[in-house]
Every structure is written in C-alpha cells, then in structure tokens.
Amino acid sequence: MSHGQVWRTHRQYAATAARWTADHWRKEAERRRALRAERKPLVRDARRALATARAIDPEGVTPLRHRAERELRTAKRRVPDPMWLFATKTAVALGVAGYVWLPHVSTRAWVWSAVAVVAAVTALSVWIAVRERDTSGLKPTAEELALLKRLQPQHWKEHAERRGLAGTLTGRPKLTEAGIVCAVRLDGTWTATKLRAAEDHIRALLGARTSLRMQIKAGKQGGWAELTLRTRSAADGDDLNWTPERRSLGIDTVTGEQVSVPLGERLLIAGRSGAGKSVASRPLLYDASEGATNALVIIDLKRVEGRLWDHRARVASTPREVVDVVDELETEMLERLAILPKGQDTWTPTDDRPRITVVVDEGAEVMTAADKVPYETETGDGKTRTVTRSALPGLESIARMGRAACIDLWWMTQKPTIGDGIPKQIAPQIGVSICLAVRTPAEARVVLGEDAQAKGWNADELPVPGVALIRDGKRKPDPVKVRYMDKAVVIALPDRTPWSRSVAPTVEAAGAPTLTLVKDTAPETAPAADSAVARVLKAIETAAEPVAQKDLATITGLSKGAVSKAVKTLTTGGTVIRALDGRLTATRGDDTAAA
C-alpha cells in the first residue's frame, strides 16, 4: 500500500470518527438542554421551599428544614451540566489523573501534551458547535434573532413581572420550519387558557409585530404551555400553482405535507368576502367532476364561478333552475335508496349512476332567492293558479340522507352563522369544515366547533387570502396554504357530459326490480305545490313496490304528522290509493313501472 493510500485511509477513518463523535455530541447536548429546561425550575421551587422552611425554623430544630435542604440537593443533582461544562470537567479530570499517574514523564513533555489536548478539545467543540448550527439549514432573520433573544429564560425572568406574567418562565426556544417554538412553565394559577388570554402582554414583552401569528396551547406535560410564533411557513418556496400532477388542496404550513380532502364527505366551506373560497374550492371541484363515476352539480346564483364549470358540470344559476335541479336530485336519491340491495349501506357509483357532488356556492343567497319561487299550475277546472316552491327542503333532505345514495352536499358561504348563511337542518350534518379567514371568533366557532378558540382553531386570525383551517377530526389546527387554480386552467379542462335525470338510462340493481324512467308529459298538479305532499308523492312513485305509511317518515325525513297529513291529501285527491293491507300506491300516470 502506497503512502498516499495509507494517508487517505487514515483520513477516512478520522472523518468517520469525527462524524460519529459529532452526532453523539449533538444528541447528548440536546438531551441535556431539554433536561435542564425541565428541571431548573424545580431547583428554584426547592430554594423557595428552603427559604420558607428557614423562616419557619431558623434554628433547624425540626425536620422541616433538613428535608427542604435534602430536596434542594436532590434537585440540583438531577440538573445535568451543559455539554461544554461536562467536557471541560472531564478534560480537567483526565489532566489531573495524568499528572498524578504519569510522574516519570518530563514536565516539559507533559505541559506540551496538555496544551495539545486542550487545544484539540477546544477546536473540536468549536467545530461541532458551528457544524450543529449550519447543518440545520435554518438561518434566523433579524426579526427571529430579536425574538429568540427575548425568549431566553434570563430575559423573560427579568421582564415577566412588569408585563403581568409573573409566575411564568420560558424554556430554550427553537427555530423550526414553522417558526419559533418555545415551552413555557406555568406556576401558581396559570393555565394555558389564561396564558392565551394574556397574548397582548406576551407580544409586548417580546416586542413582536401585531400581524405576527401567535399560537398558545397546552404543553406535553402538566404545568407547561407551548408558545409558537409563526415567523415562517413550511410551505415557503413551494410552487402552489395547481396542475394535474399537483392535485392536492394545499400544503400544511407546519409539516409541509400535501393536504387532500377525499370525495364522499359533506363539506362546509366558509370565509369572509375576499378570503379565497372559490379559489380554494377549485381543486375539490376538479376531483368531483373527474372520472367516469363522478358527476358535479353547481348551484350558483351569483353566476360567476358556475359559469367556469358549465362545460363539465350541471349548473343552476336561476331560482327556478335551482328548484328544478334539487327536485331531480331528491328524486334520484329516493330512487337509489328504494332499490338499494338489502344489507348494503351505501350506493355503489357506476358509469350510469355516478357519485353526485352538489355544490351550493353562496348558501345565504340560495336561502333567500330559492326559498319561495313562483310556479303556475293548472287546477282541475282548467284554471291556472300560482304556487310557490322552495329548494331548501330538498337540500336539507339531501344533507340528511344523501350520503347513503352517494349524493354529497357541499355548502359554501361568506356568512357562517346558523340561520343566515347555514340552514339549521344542514349544519349538524357537516362532516368536514374548511374555514378561511372569518370576521369574528363567533363565526369561527360556528364553522369549526364551540371549542375552536380553546384548541387553537383561530380562523379569525388567518391572513387573507389563500390560507385555511381544515377540521375533519384528524388534523391539528395547522394552517394550510391552498393551491391556486387559475380561471383559464378551469376553462381549458376537457368537456364532460353534465348529469341529468332526463338522460339517465335503465338501471338494474342486484336483487331488486328493474325500474324504467318515463318522462311525464302531463302538467304538474296541485299536490306538487306543497313540498311535504310532493316529497311523499315522490317517495311513493319511486318505490319499487307499495309503501307502508310508517316507512314514508324514514324515506322522506319528514315527521309522522307531516306524512299523515300529506297522505290524507293525496288519497282524498285520488293521486294515491290505499290497498287492503294499508300500503300506498300512486295512480298518477305511469312514472314508474315495476317489471
């Protein structure tokens, strides 16, 4: 082996040993730092207890003072030395041992050897410290440097009492991809909730800007809270433009993970005007309209967003169109439930009868404009009268029962309050809430739950636009930067045939009779004017066999009293007949025929 090969081999061994030593040094330093931050407050508490014991028993004649002294010594022993101090003590101990056990070595040789060892240890310590700082890849900005300095325990302890934060003490702050994270020890009556209420005092102590997002939540241990300053985002530097290859809803600003919402959920998408609801919903609308077994229906009375999707979705943009499409959807839902095979919980989407996603864009407008829509109908004597119909009962029925029929309702509104922007019957059915910036904490609680503020779901503090909180029972309250899908990209998407019952083919369900849909050419009769009567009649007409009156309440979602009144109206008018066994059958035309 040549001299050069020997040198390279030794150099590789030295580099490997240095890396191994550096890794172990770093891990041990982090472990000791965490233990010191956790246990040093216990030493302070033990000192206070000893001072109290000395005041009570200045002569030391009772066990109280001796017990306090023992507890203080124990607490001090449990606090490990910093890594640099531990290494220094070790080096000094080795130097003393070498001086004692190596008396035959000349003083000159020993002195120069000691100097060389100390220099090597110092150089290694400096190199490890610098390498540890650089390998993280995170370089603090000027703002972060100032915040890190003020979050140090010494600075916090000096200024906490003057800022109304006496009894709290910070641990060592850490700079992460999501910002600065710091543990805060809580003494006395302090809790995470109380510390959250003192956010203005913390902001003043740190000198933080007003727009800096601050999150305070309970720590991993009792008596501790976790303070997070969102000085940066894990989504920084990522391309947030939507493409078919990047189809997620957005990126988690804390973890950097791709965030998606699967189909089959009932969604509530809320946010104040300009928060970005339409942009945030476009990746979801694409997924709902893509594939042979998916169909999209958009109810948009504003006539802006729906127009972008009319080449691949069924769009209703007038009150009458809304009532008509909701009537079709409700009929389709009841028919699917009527022929759903026994023992099967949900409908299986097919090319003929796909999963239908119903999107209501701006629910407050639909609640107002599509509530009482005038229709002209002919009475029995040939005269014409005007009746009103509403889309809300049908939408509420779809929200309650549509999931089993694979008809899912997505409700979007910029007025996220019950009764104004969200119907009372629809709000409890929501499974996933996507909340962009809202105006008040009360609106955030309506969308994200009554415990939203207590658990950190502070949608009223989100920046505008394009940042959302998604609560699905699994995610943490981490903001999500939503992807941007341009209008031109939506318009350029391939065309799809919009869903409609008028083009629905014959469907056979396993173990169920075949139903053939026949377009009714006769004009609507008066019973259709009453929504309860119309829904009961529709349930009877779409059933594969005569229906018992007690089953109609389950099928339609109406109360037993409303069903009884509707059945009485229909049987009196001759539209429905009652068999000897009490079951009901429609006699109006041949809308459905059982083979």
Side-chain angles (χ1 to χ4, degrees):
M1 183 179 293
S2 64
H3 179 73
Q5 291 175 335
V6 172
W7 170 249
R8 284 193 295 271
T9 302
H10 283 295
R11 188 170 58 184
Q12 290 175 358
Y13 287 155
T16 302
R19 284 195 297 271
W20 182 86
T21 304
D23 291 340
H24 280 67
W25 178 286
R26 187 181 305 107
K27 292 178 182 178
E28 180 63 18
E30 291 177 354
R31 186 185 73 84
R32 288 173 175 268
R33 192 180 301 118
L35 288 175
R36 285 177 62 81
E38 178 182 347
R39 296 175 180 177
K40 282 183 70 175
L42 301 178
V43 176
R44 186 181 66 246
D45 295 344
R47 283 176 177 159
R48 290 177 180 173
L50 178 58
T52 304
R54 285 174 176 172
I56 296 173
D57 181 19
E59 302 296 332
V61 296
T62 64
L64 179 63
R65 178 172 173 176
H66 302 294
R67 187 184 307 113
E69 292 174 347
R70 287 197 303 270
E71 290 177 354
L72 176 60
R73 288 194 296 269
T74 303
K76 286 182 176 180
R77 283 197 300 268
R78 294 189 62 201
V79 178
D81 292 328
M83 195 60 186
W84 66 268
L85 182 58
F86 175 77
T88 302
K89 288 181 178 180
T90 303
V92 171
L94 291 174
V96 172
Y99 182 79
V100 172
W101 294 102
L102 297 175
H104 300 292
V105 178
S106 64
T107 303
R108 186 174 182 179
W110 166 246
V111 170
W112 283 109
S113 298
V115 170
V117 170
V118 171
V121 170
T122 304
L124 181 62
S125 302
V126 172
W127 178 76
I128 290 174
V130 174
R131 187 173 184 271
E132 181 180 3
R133 187 179 300 114
D134 293 340
T135 53
S136 63
L138 297 176
K139 294 183 178 180
T141 62
E143 178 189 26
E144 289 170 340
L145 282 172
L147 292 173
L148 288 169
K149 181 179 179 181
R150 292 166 183 161
L151 280 170
Q152 294 296 328
Q154 297 84 355
H155 184 276
W156 186 281
K157 185 177 180 180
E158 291 175 5
H159 299 85
E161 187 173 356
R162 285 182 290 174
R163 292 295 182 180
L165 297 170
T168 64
L169 183 66
T170 56
R172 294 289 179 182
K174 295 180 181 179
L175 180 61
T176 68
E177 293 181 350
I180 299 175
V181 180
C182 183
V184 181
R185 178 173 169 78
L186 307 175
D187 294 340
T189 60
W190 281 99
T191 63
T193 303
K194 185 177 178 180
L195 186 65
R196 192 180 300 114
E199 178 181 323
D200 292 340
H201 298 281
I202 299 175
R203 198 178 295 275
L205 191 154
L206 299 177
R209 51 188 166 88
T210 307
S211 59
L212 178 63
R213 289 192 64 238
M214 183 182 300
Q215 289 182 327
I216 302 172
K217 61 181 182 180
K220 297 180 180 179
Q221 298 177 357
W224 287 83
E226 184 176 280
L227 170 64
T228 304
L229 304 176
R230 300 295 183 191
T231 56
R232 58 180 63 199
S233 167
D236 291 343
D238 289 332
D239 186 359
L240 289 171
N241 288 320
W242 183 94
T243 65
E245 293 75 28
R246 296 191 295 266
R247 290 174 52 176
S248 64
L249 174 63
I251 300 176
D252 192 309
T253 59
V254 176
T255 64
E257 297 176 347
Q258 303 289 331
V259 179
S260 299
V261 177
L263 296 177
E265 297 286 350
R266 288 163 292 188
L267 300 185
L268 172 60
I269 305 176
R272 61 189 175 94
S273 179
K277 294 185 302 299
S278 298
V279 175
S281 65
R282 286 172 189 167
L284 301 175
L285 297 183
Y286 172 82
D287 291 339
S289 63
E290 186 68 12
T293 58
N294 293 322
L296 179 62
V297 175
I298 299 178
I299 298 173
D300 180 20
L301 293 177
K302 295 186 300 181
R303 308 185 185 189
V304 176
E305 190 66 22
R307 191 178 303 169
L308 301 175
W309 297 87
D310 58 5
H311 61 294
R312 57 190 287 121
R314 172 82 175 274
V315 179
S317 55
T318 66
R320 179 164 291 199
E321 289 177 352
V322 173
V323 173
D324 291 341
V325 74
V326 170
D327 185 67
E328 286 186 46
L329 289 165
E330 190 178 15
T331 302
E332 177 72 14
M333 177 188 69
L334 294 174
E335 187 170 294
R336 291 185 183 187
L337 294 177
I339 64 176
L340 188 67
K342 186 176 182 180
Q344 185 173 323
D345 295 331
T346 58
W347 181 265
T348 302
T350 63
D351 293 351
D352 296 335
R353 278 188 160 165
R355 175 185 298 279
I356 304 174
T357 302
V358 186
V359 180
V360 178
D361 192 355
E362 191 40 61
E365 188 68 22
V366 172
M367 293 174 65
T368 303
D371 186 22
K372 295 180 179 180
V373 182
Y375 275 77
E376 291 185 354
T377 62
E378 292 184 4
T379 60
D381 55 0
K383 296 181 180 181
T384 302
R385 69 168 181 166
T386 301
V387 297
T388 58
R389 299 174 61 186
S390 175
L392 289 180
L395 290 171
E396 292 171 354
S397 181
I398 292 171
R400 288 191 299 263
M401 303 190 299
R403 187 170 186 177
C406 277
I407 302 178
D408 307 312
L409 181 65
W410 294 359
W411 194 270
M412 300 171 58
T413 182
Q414 57 181 285
K415 296 181 180 179
T417 51
I418 302 297
D420 294 328
I422 309 172
K424 296 179 181 179
Q425 296 294 324
I426 292 179
Q429 311 299 328
I430 299 301
V432 177
S433 298
I434 301 176
C435 190
L436 291 96
V438 293
R439 293 180 179 85
T440 64
E443 292 181 346
R445 288 195 297 270
V446 171
V447 180
L448 298 169
E450 288 298 326
D451 61 343
Q453 189 174 7
K455 294 192 175 181
W457 298 89
N458 301 319
D460 55 306
E461 300 177 3
L462 291 176
V464 176
V467 180
L469 295 175
I470 303 174
R471 191 161 195 181
D472 56 2
K474 302 175 184 176
R475 287 186 50 78
K476 297 180 179 179
D478 297 337
V480 175
K481 274 194 174 181
V482 298
R483 292 197 177 280
Y484 178 73
M485 191 174 185
D486 190 73
K487 296 178 180 179
V489 175
V490 178
I491 296 173
L493 292 174
D495 292 358
R496 296 285 309 277
T497 303
W499 174 86
S500 176
R501 271 186 62 82
S502 61
V503 297
T506 302
V507 178
E508 267 188 41
T514 303
L515 299 180
T516 304
L517 303 180
V518 181
K519 193 76 174 180
D520 187 6
T521 57
E524 291 289 339
T525 57
D530 187 339
S531 61
V533 173
R535 291 166 70 181
V536 170
L537 177 59
K538 192 181 303 179
I540 297 174
E541 288 177 338
T542 55
E545 56 186 13
V547 186
Q549 182 171 326
K550 64 179 182 179
D551 296 332
L552 289 174
T554 303
I555 296 173
T556 61
L558 297 171
S559 65
K560 293 182 179 180
V563 170
S564 177
K565 186 182 296 185
V567 169
K568 183 177 180 180
T569 301
L570 292 170
T571 53
T572 303
T575 307
V576 171
I577 60 173
R578 190 187 298 273
L580 295 177
D581 60 356
R583 294 180 177 271
L584 302 169
T585 308
T587 60
R588 229 179 93 200
D590 292 320
D591 291 323
T592 59

